[in-house]
Amino acid sequence: QVQLQESGPGLVQPSQTLSLTCTVSAFSITTDFYYWSWIRQAPGKGLEWIGAIAYSGNTYYSPPLKSRTSVSRDTSKNQFTLQLTSLIPEDTAVYYCARVGVWGPNYAMDYWGKGTLVTVSS
């Protein structure tokens, strides 16, 4: 029943900023102990966690990307967003949003969007 849907541009130029939105249905993004994450997978590579925003509004970022990343939310729309600045071709990837449930020391990314391909190219 929980659904996540990514939206945003499929092509962005180097040096510009990527803005993606994840719309969540059938579950409130303010529900206690859930986090809302962005993950990407570049061609031929594994999954890379980018960052997340918690139910509280706190944000968390992967250190290699922290300086270029901002995750925010619009609780009235039940959406959260990713902004990744200063894009380089290596940022080309399928970008996913996902729900993360946390139970003490355990966590799971149990619902994912289908992903959206973002190509960084001039």
Side-chain angles (χ1 to χ4, degrees):
Q1 188 176 13
V2 178
Q3 295 185 67
L4 286 74
Q5 176 69 243
E6 304 91 347
S7 61
L11 179 64
V12 192
Q13 295 188 119
S15 82
Q16 295 188 343
T17 297
L18 173 65
S19 295
L20 296 175
T21 297
C22 184
T23 300
V24 180
S25 61
F27 196 90
S28 173
I29 64 172
T30 61
T31 301
D32 284 359
F33 311 124
Y34 285 87
Y35 296 69
W36 304 92
S37 287
W38 290 98
I39 307 97
R40 69 182 184 181
Q41 186 168 35
K45 305 294 184 180
L47 296 168
E48 179 185 21
W49 178 73
I50 300 167
I53 187 163
Y55 60 96
S56 61
N58 289 344
T59 54
Y60 307 87
Y61 301 105
S62 175
L65 298 171
K66 184 175 182 178
S67 67
R68 299 196 289 132
T69 306
S70 179
V71 179
S72 58
R73 67 181 182 175
D74 184 338
T75 58
S76 70
K77 296 180 179 179
N78 214 42
Q79 296 177 330
F80 64 104
T81 61
L82 170 69
Q83 290 200 114
L84 183 63
T85 65
S86 303
L87 291 171
I88 58 175
E90 289 75 18
D91 291 320
T92 295
V94 176
Y95 284 74
Y96 299 92
C97 55
R99 186 179 82 166
V100 184
V102 177
W103 306 268
N106 304 306
Y107 70 94
M109 295 179 174
D110 56 357
Y111 287 92
W112 293 61
K114 65 176 176 56
T116 185
L117 174 63
V118 176
T119 299
V120 181
S121 177
S122 57

